[in-house]
Amino acid sequence: MGAGRHAVALRPGRTQRVAPAAQAAFGGGGLISCTADYHRFARMLLRGGELDGVRLLKPETVAAMHANHLPGGGDLASLSSSMFSEADYAGVGFGLGFATDLRTQEYYWGGVFSTFFFIDPVERLIGIFMTQHFPSSIHPVRRELRQGVRHAVIESRAD
């Protein structure tokens, strides 16, 4: 966008003016959204590509997004090391944009400032954690959030 122009977020039935657009030379920079939009995105993924009765992605596309695509079906620990996250990479695969827990099949991603979301397709639930805590390696909030939610489930669908 040119100088002085504003980014515009389009939502069904309304247009909202947001902060002036900034240039960002890296992947996650410059994204503008809110928790409600993130929740809609996660609901679409949990529902296999459908949102509010509209098919946005094929179920096969969503399945490919959270399937492990690492060589030989390996985990991230065998191929890399954690650089800024508190995450343990053992037992964690990687799909097309998401980390995948190879044991539980949960898929998730976090941001550098400790934001985090996960989808548990077995329990059919979504977790979203929005914060501005840097670096995210100081406290294991992501692991604790997933464990806390897992322990709060009274009757597991996995049993």
Side-chain angles (χ1 to χ4, degrees), residues 7-66:
V8 177
L10 300 176
R11 302 206 53 209
R14 69 179 187 183
T15 300
Q16 178 180 348
R17 204 167 269 289
V18 294
Q23 291 188 356
F26 49 93
L31 297 177
I32 299 172
S33 190
C34 63
T35 305
D37 288 342
Y38 214 118
H39 184 251
R40 287 175 54 81
F41 172 69
R43 274 191 5 237
M44 183 270 301
L45 293 172
L46 179 63
R47 294 176 179 172
E50 179 271 324
L51 179 66
D52 299 335
V54 177
R55 168 83 31 214
L56 299 171
L57 296 173
K58 293 179 183 178
E60 300 84 8
T61 301
V62 176
M65 290 169 72
H66 62 80

Side-chain angles (χ1 to χ4, degrees), residues 1-6 20-21:
M1 296 191 137
R5 297 190 58 193
H6 287 77

